[in-house]
Amino acid sequence: ELCALSSVCLCVCRWSLNGTLINLSTDSRRRLSGGNLVIRSLDRAQDGGIYQCTAFNPQGAILSRRASLQFAYLNLKTQTRSAVSVREGQGVVLLCGTPSYAGDLSFAWVFNEYPYFVQQDNRRFVSQETGNLYIAKVEPSDVGNYTCVVVNRITKGKVLSSPTPLVLRTDGVMGEYEPKIEVHFSDMVPAAKGSVVTLECFALGNPVPEITWRRANGVPFPSKVKMKNSNVVLEIPSFQQEDAGGYECVAENKMGKNTVQGRLSFHAKPQWVQTMRDSALSVEERLFWECKTSGKPKPSYSWLKNGELLAAEDRIQIENGALTIGSVNLSDAGMYQCVAENKHGIIYFSAELVVLASPPDFSRSPLRALLKAKTGSTVTMECRPQAFPTAISMWRKGNEPVIVLLSFRITLLPDGTLRITNVTKMDGGNYACLARNQFGVASTTGRLLVTDPTQITQGPVDMEIIVGESIVLPCQISCDPALDVSFSWAFNGQLLNKLDQHYEHVGGSISGDLMIRNIQLKHAGKYVCVVDTDVESLSAVAILIVKGPPGAPDGVTVEEITDSTAQLSWRPGQDNGSPITSYIIQAKTAFTVGWQAVNTVPEVIDGNTLTATVVDLNAWVEYEFRVLARNSVGVGEPSPASLKTRTEDAVPDTTPTDVGGGGGSKSELVITWEPVPEDLQNGDGFGYIIAFRPLGEVNWTHAVTSIPSQSRYVYRNESILPFSPFSVKVGAYNTKGQGPFSPVAIVFSAENGETVDRIMSSAQKLTFSVIYSVFNGFFFSASPERVLGYEVVYWEDDTKPETMGKVRVSANQNKVNISGLREYTQYFLTVSAFNTAGTGPLSPTINVTTKKSPPGQPPLNVEWNLIGSKLTVHWEPVISLEMESDVTGYQVSASQQCKPQKINTITTNLTSVELTLPADDDYIIQIRALSDGGEGMPTEPINIHKLSKNYFFNLMNLRNGYFKLSLHFTILLFLLYQINAIFLIIRDLFCIKKTY
């Protein structure tokens, strides 16, 4: 780092030692490496001292900071030491000696022999300031030889003193005495900013004294302060100004105490607070640089120019850290350094002064070749050439050799700018600015064009519009043809995004109309059309009000609810540009499909009403309510739903419906009804009361069921005659009471089941036939007795009940078709008759196997030939797969193209067929294979356009037969027929009947 800037500024570096320049050309041990000084074979006598680098380049020279090179060493005289004799309980100090050294040292003591070191505690302490060993109170275990070990922290070198024997005296034990401080800090201890300050305090005494610390001003120690070695060492890391002041060490035992005091003084090397910057000044300008530093003691300042001390003179003033040069000249250019120094350090800061001197130059700031301005405006034309010193400016207009005359409208500003107010067309023309200083003259020219003002002939106007509509906001102008015009639109202070699909700029060169498509509520606001030309900017404003359906009401609350009413209140939402005219209330329950409109009081809720009563509610049902607002635009979004609220319970007011019954077993009366829906039960404890009596009697028999979902009740009594009529009615009840009964219905008791037995005993033998591969038909006869119908049960395997199926038919049928059967599978089946008494005995079981599926492949390679009305069709035979039925023949179907419902079908066991087709239409042909399993897949439809064959056939006859036409004429006729055929095909597609 000593001269690192040389690697980036292409400098030349020179080094000095203790102020004397080092001659590298004659020094074999020293050399430069990229500006750095490299020294080989260091010698303490020749190389120790203060080094400094001076860097030179064409702009000048600067000095680096100073660097000190020192050599660390350590020497300690060793001589035999006499024994130290003390009493037990007495304190003692063992001296280490005074080494000669350079570098930081550390001290330790060996007890008797290496490596047994003395362990420090509250009784023993090794001072890192003096190196001495202090024992506050000697004990018998302390007797032995003590050797001081000194280590140089830099070189890691180590020296040992001669052993010092410690022995106990035999003339008695030392009594208790007060502390005596042997290790303490100076009255004034200098401490550098940011350093680690260590204070030592140790006392001899019996008993062993305790050490405590405090500040003289009584302020507690900050958390960063640390106590070490039983409080003997006080350590203050990162020493700052606030840490300076008085410190006190107190040593105390039961015999008394001892105190020492001292002060820590704060000092700091200089640090920059304010510096200067590189400056480029014109000759004769004034230079002022100032640098400021912090430091203690206060630093002194000096200034260097190109590495040499700068002295004050007439033009140059130096005061503390300020440098002033009243009128710079070319000789003042160079590198300057501000130097700040106190006894703790020295710092440098450098800056370059460039002195400029040149004639006027307009290459960077010429006049605009064409300057446009509207009449009546103010024009400024700047004349600012680059010139050192500043040039004097003059103006000319056109080819006149005279300077532009100044007037109340035309003024020349101090910086050379020409200002013309209230411009007229007479002011237009060519202008020239001439600039001069002591080094030369230069000029620049430009043209002033005065145009007519631009006007907005049709701007946007305030409008009201409904959501979803589209509008055009006009913005049209009249302007001078010489101007370039651009249009832009702003919405609520922000430029419109051209990518927004709602906006589109329309119009020509003098129109900036804005189209807004499918307007939404968010498009309401302030629209500004901005017209920019070369000379001015105009704008026109319009307010767009967008009306839409109201916003959702808020805060729907159910304030009071009964068994059939609920009182609601709500807060209005946004009216979105159109006042709210009315409100609609909707409700939802667990029994409704979605939201339903409800009846209210008042029946019509106007826009100023925020409460209403909902009526005609069902009792004991949980309701949710929501409110919708309506205005002149439409109905808005619904409000959030209210909390679920249950109406009060009430006596049932709905009777069961569809009361009827009949059937059942012998001596039974079966009564059925349609259960009352849960939302109409009106409360808990809901059930049914069934009342019945023989037709014509007076007294009713009652029965009760407490199951709300029950829909059937069976009354058993041996006295009931078969098929006897009863009057029946059903009512409902709940915890609030009994509701009304249903209308009376007539229900017959059960029939006698023996009739079914007689029917089945005379049943004819069942027959079975296959309708298709997956349809089986069952045929059976009926008995003249009373039978409601027949039941066919079928299954695949007796061991798999899940394969069982069941089909019922009415009594007037003796056949049933069963679909969904699997092909080529054996089925078992039985038949039984049934009436209201139940199902009779089963017929004997029969079994049958379904057919295989029909062929899945249509006939392939179909070829056809049409001559006149005779059509011949050929195809390849279809080969059935293993699980498909064998082919028994083929079916050919032909339908007219415009009468697809009229189909002619021909069956054949060959692979060809001949058809006679009338000549009045075109036909569609399909072919499919037939099998026991049904019809196979048909071919794709084949379109037969008879004319496409006839005309070619006839044309060839004309060519080869009767008329012997030329080849060219034949081809022409052929093309005409082709065109006619295409037309006929198109005609047939639309079934248009025309005569050609």
Side-chain angles (χ1 to χ4, degrees):
E1 291 182 341
L2 295 181
C3 199
L5 63 89
S6 64
S7 63
V8 296
C9 68
L10 302 179
C11 301
V12 176
C13 292
R14 296 178 184 174
W15 285 86
S16 61
L17 174 59
N18 297 325
T20 303
L21 185 65
I22 299 174
N23 188 352
L24 297 177
S25 61
T26 61
D27 194 331
S28 60
R29 294 187 306 109
R30 300 186 180 102
R31 64 181 178 86
L32 285 180
S33 175
N36 296 326
L37 179 64
V38 180
I39 307 174
R40 295 184 295 112
S41 303
L42 283 171
D43 181 84
R44 177 179 174 185
Q46 298 183 56
D47 298 323
I50 304 299
Y51 288 82
Q52 192 169 26
C53 171
T54 304
F56 299 85
N57 71 4
Q59 281 69 43
I62 58 173
L63 299 180
S64 72
R65 62 188 176 94
R66 297 173 183 174
S68 174
L69 177 60
Q70 298 178 351
F71 291 84
Y73 66 93
L74 173 63
N75 291 316
L76 181 64
K77 294 181 180 180
T78 58
Q79 56 186 7
T80 303
R81 301 189 179 191
S82 57
V84 176
S85 178
V86 294
R87 292 188 180 95
E88 181 182 348
Q90 183 180 356
V92 68
V93 179
L94 301 182
L95 304 179
C96 180
T98 305
S100 59
Y101 70 96
D104 293 335
L105 302 181
S106 65
F107 300 91
W109 283 80
V110 173
F111 179 55
N112 287 332
E113 61 181 13
Y114 189 83
Y116 297 103
F117 287 93
V118 174
Q119 300 299 314
Q120 300 185 70
D121 51 26
N122 65 337
R123 194 172 62 84
R124 293 171 294 187
F125 173 63
V126 177
S127 173
Q128 297 302 313
E129 297 290 337
T130 64
N132 298 334
L133 172 62
Y134 301 86
I135 303 177
K137 172 187 172 185
V138 175
E139 297 178 352
S141 60
D142 296 325
V143 173
N145 293 323
Y146 291 83
T147 303
C148 180
V149 180
V150 186
V151 177
N152 190 310
R153 296 180 188 273
I154 306 301
T155 65
K156 307 302 180 184
K158 177 173 62 178
V159 295
L160 280 70
S161 69
S162 299
T164 301
L166 177 65
V167 298
L168 290 179
R169 293 170 57 174
T170 59
D171 56 354
V173 178
M174 185 71 176
E176 294 180 342
Y177 62 95
E178 66 181 10
K180 179 184 179 183
I181 296 178
E182 290 288 342
V183 180
H184 59 83
F185 49 96
S186 305
D187 294 339
M188 183 62 70
V189 179
K193 178 182 179 181
S195 64
V196 178
V197 177
T198 301
L199 301 180
E200 296 180 343
C201 182
F202 189 79
L204 310 181
N206 187 6
V208 175
E210 291 185 1
I211 305 297
T212 57
W213 294 84
R214 64 190 179 196
R215 295 194 65 170
N217 57 9
V219 176
F221 289 118
S223 59
K224 69 177 181 177
V225 174
K226 301 176 183 178
M227 307 292 181
K228 297 182 176 181
N229 296 346
S230 302
N231 289 355
V232 174
V233 177
L234 173 70
E235 182 179 282
I236 307 174
S238 185
F239 190 81
Q240 302 298 322
Q241 178 75 52
E242 59 269 18
D243 297 322
Y247 287 77
E248 186 175 76
C249 171
V250 180
E252 186 174 8
N253 64 12
K254 68 179 182 179
M255 301 304 296
K257 67 178 179 180
N258 197 359
T259 303
V260 294
Q261 295 179 342
R263 294 189 64 82
L264 294 180
S265 63
F266 176 81
H267 67 82
K269 64 182 180 180
Q271 288 186 327
W272 293 115
V273 175
Q274 176 182 328
T275 57
M276 64 281 193
R277 294 182 179 181
D278 295 338
S279 295
L281 301 179
S282 174
V283 292
E284 301 177 358
E285 285 190 295
R286 178 177 178 270
L287 170 69
F288 178 77
W289 273 337
E290 185 176 20
C291 57
K292 295 180 181 180
T293 61
S294 63
K296 191 172 182 181
K298 184 178 180 180
S300 61
Y301 298 93
S302 60
W303 286 84
L304 303 177
K305 177 186 177 185
N306 293 330
E308 301 291 337
L309 185 65
L310 183 64
E313 55 181 58
D314 292 340
R315 293 185 310 109
I316 302 175
Q317 301 294 324
I318 298 176
E319 184 176 356
N320 290 329
L323 171 64
T324 305
I325 303 179
S327 178
V328 299
N329 55 40
L330 294 176
S331 65
D332 294 323
M335 299 298 300
Y336 289 77
Q337 288 181 282
C338 179
V339 183
E341 181 177 11
N342 66 12
K343 64 180 180 179
H344 301 293
I346 181 172
I347 56 176
Y348 299 79
F349 194 86
S350 60
E352 181 183 5
L353 173 61
V354 177
V355 180
L356 304 172
S358 66
D361 180 11
F362 285 102
S363 61
R364 296 185 180 179
S365 57
L367 280 179
R368 291 174 58 179
L370 177 61
L371 176 62
K372 299 177 182 179
K374 70 174 181 178
T375 56
S377 64
T378 297
V379 176
T380 57
M381 291 182 282
E382 294 182 347
C383 183
R384 293 186 179 180
Q386 183 176 355
F388 304 101
T390 303
I392 298 174
S393 301
M394 296 178 294
W395 287 86
R396 296 178 184 274
K397 180 182 177 184
N399 296 323
E400 297 294 331
V402 295
I403 299 175
V404 173
L405 295 177
L406 303 181
S407 66
F408 71 94
R409 290 194 310 108
I410 303 175
T411 55
L412 183 63
L413 302 183
D415 63 355
T417 298
L418 183 66
R419 174 182 292 170
I420 306 175
T421 59
N422 196 18
V423 171
T424 67
K425 292 213 171 183
M426 295 296 295
D427 295 320
N430 295 323
Y431 285 80
C433 176
L434 295 84
R436 179 191 302 273
N437 69 5
Q438 64 204 63
F439 298 106
V441 179
S443 65
T444 180
T445 61
R447 179 183 170 216
L448 174 62
L449 175 63
V450 181
T451 64
D452 294 325
T454 302
Q455 293 182 342
I456 296 179
T457 58
Q458 184 181 3
V461 295
D462 296 347
M463 298 182 66
E464 292 184 359
I465 192 167
I466 296 176
V467 167
E469 296 181 349
S470 300
I471 61 167
V472 174
L473 298 179
C475 187
Q476 299 179 11
I477 65 169
S478 64
C479 65
D480 195 301
L483 295 176
D484 293 328
V485 184
S486 65
F487 295 88
S488 60
W489 283 85
F491 172 56
N492 291 337
Q494 299 291 328
L495 283 178
L496 286 181
N497 184 358
K498 294 182 179 180
L499 298 180
D500 192 322
Q501 61 181 359
H502 291 279
Y503 298 110
E504 180 182 355
H505 292 269
V506 295
S509 60
I510 59 172
S511 176
D513 297 350
L514 176 68
M515 175 176 283
I516 311 177
R517 292 188 174 91
N518 189 20
I519 286 180
Q520 302 299 310
L521 292 173
K522 65 181 180 180
H523 295 134
K526 180 180 178 180
Y527 287 82
V528 181
C529 173
V530 180
V531 182
D532 289 305
T533 70
D534 306 272
V535 298
E536 61 184 322
S537 179
L538 300 88
S539 63
V541 180
I543 303 298
L544 183 62
I545 299 175
V546 180
K547 295 183 177 182
D554 191 20
V556 178
T557 305
V558 180
E559 297 181 344
E560 183 179 345
I561 191 163
T562 68
D563 61 341
S564 62
T565 66
Q567 185 174 345
L568 271 63
S569 65
W570 60 90
R571 295 191 299 272
Q574 297 291 331
D575 63 8
N576 293 334
S578 180
I580 296 174
T581 57
S582 62
Y583 290 98
I584 302 169
I585 298 178
Q586 295 179 337
K588 183 175 72 171
T589 71
F591 313 105
T592 60
V593 179
W595 292 90
Q596 306 289 335
V598 293
N599 297 326
T600 61
V601 175
E603 185 176 352
V604 177
I605 308 171
D606 63 48
N608 297 320
T609 302
L610 300 178
T611 61
T613 301
V614 182
V615 297
D616 300 334
L617 300 179
N618 293 329
W620 202 243
V621 174
E622 271 193 340
Y623 281 90
E624 290 180 88
F625 299 97
R626 70 181 187 182
V627 181
L628 297 87
R630 183 198 302 271
N631 61 12
S632 60
V633 179
V635 178
E637 293 293 323
S639 68
S642 68
L643 296 176
K644 291 183 178 180
T645 308
R646 183 183 293 276
T647 52
E648 296 179 353
D649 54 354
V651 174
D653 55 6
T654 301
T655 61
T657 59
D658 293 338
V659 176
S665 300
K666 180 180 178 181
S667 301
E668 288 184 348
L669 173 64
V670 179
I671 303 172
T672 60
W673 63 90
E674 184 69 25
V676 175
E678 185 179 350
D679 57 326
L680 299 178
Q681 294 174 4
N682 289 5
D684 281 337
F686 184 84
Y688 298 99
I689 301 174
I690 303 100
F692 55 92
R693 65 186 179 187
L695 187 65
E697 292 191 6
V698 177
N699 296 325
W700 293 89
T701 301
H702 293 83
V704 176
T705 175
S706 60
I707 302 174
S709 60
Q710 186 167 332
S711 62
R712 186 173 185 268
Y713 173 76
V714 179
Y715 174 68
R716 296 179 178 84
N717 193 315
E718 296 296 332
S719 64
I720 297 177
L721 297 177
F723 210 62
S724 299
F726 280 79
S727 298
V728 175
K729 60 182 180 180
V730 181
Y733 72 92
N734 62 16
T735 55
K736 297 290 287 187
Q738 178 181 334
F741 277 97
S742 67
V744 176
I746 305 299
V747 177
F748 287 86
S749 62
E751 299 179 87
N752 194 338
E754 296 176 357
T755 304
V756 178
D757 295 338
R758 293 195 302 272
I759 293 172
M760 294 310 302
S761 64
S762 62
Q764 297 180 1
K765 182 179 180 181
L766 295 169
T767 60
F768 175 88
S769 65
V770 178
I771 307 303
Y772 296 110
S773 63
V774 292
F775 294 99
N776 296 353
F778 305 98
F779 303 89
F780 42 90
S781 64
S783 167
E785 303 294 338
R786 174 180 168 82
V787 175
L788 294 182
Y790 299 97
E791 181 177 86
V792 179
V793 179
Y794 59 95
W795 65 96
E796 293 183 32
D797 190 339
D798 287 339
T799 64
K800 298 179 180 179
E802 66 272 11
T803 64
M804 181 176 292
K806 184 185 295 184
V807 178
R808 280 191 170 190
V809 296
S810 61
N812 60 355
Q813 297 185 29
N814 62 355
K815 180 176 69 174
V816 66
N817 291 331
I818 301 176
S819 62
L821 303 181
R822 297 194 301 174
E823 67 269 10
Y824 204 54
T825 302
Q826 185 180 37
Y827 283 91
F828 301 87
L829 59 103
T830 62
V831 182
S832 60
F834 67 89
N835 61 13
T836 59
T839 303
L842 301 176
S843 69
T845 301
I846 64 172
N847 66 79
V848 67
T849 300
T850 57
K851 302 297 183 180
K852 295 182 180 180
S853 62
Q857 179 72 22
L860 301 176
N861 295 328
V862 179
E863 297 179 356
W864 58 273
N865 185 24
L866 180 65
I867 299 177
S869 61
K870 183 178 181 181
L871 174 67
T872 303
V873 185
H874 299 271
W875 60 88
E876 289 185 357
V878 176
I879 305 301
S880 299
L881 301 178
E882 180 180 355
M883 292 305 296
E884 295 177 346
S885 298
D886 293 336
V887 176
T888 60
Y890 298 92
Q891 176 182 290
V892 180
S893 61
S895 63
Q896 295 182 21
Q897 192 171 38
C898 288
K899 297 179 181 179
Q901 69 278 5
K902 185 177 181 181
I903 302 175
N904 296 325
T905 302
I906 297 176
T907 302
T908 179
N909 56 2
L910 303 177
T911 58
S912 65
V913 70
E914 289 186 357
L915 301 174
T916 300
L917 303 179
D920 61 343
D921 202 351
D922 292 341
Y923 283 81
I924 297 175
I925 304 297
Q926 280 189 295
I927 308 167
R928 70 183 77 212
L930 301 177
S931 69
D932 291 338
E935 297 178 356
M937 290 294 294
T939 62
E940 292 292 331
I942 303 169
N943 295 309
I944 306 297
H945 299 285
K946 297 198 307 178
L947 181 60
S948 64
K949 295 297 180 179
N950 290 339
Y951 79 81
F952 186 70
F953 175 79
N954 295 333
L955 183 61
M956 294 308 296
N957 288 339
L958 290 174
R959 163 69 180 161
N960 299 320
Y962 306 103
F963 295 98
K964 305 296 182 180
L965 299 177
S966 67
L967 177 62
H968 295 304
F969 187 68
T970 302
I971 294 175
L972 178 61
L973 288 178
F974 175 77
L975 293 175
L976 291 175
Y977 273 113
Q978 288 281 20
I979 295 171
N980 189 38
I982 293 172
F983 174 80
L984 291 177
I985 292 172
I986 297 174
R987 181 207 69 182
D988 292 340
L989 290 176
F990 295 96
C991 293
I992 300 172
K993 296 300 183 180
K994 289 187 179 180
T995 303
Y996 240 69

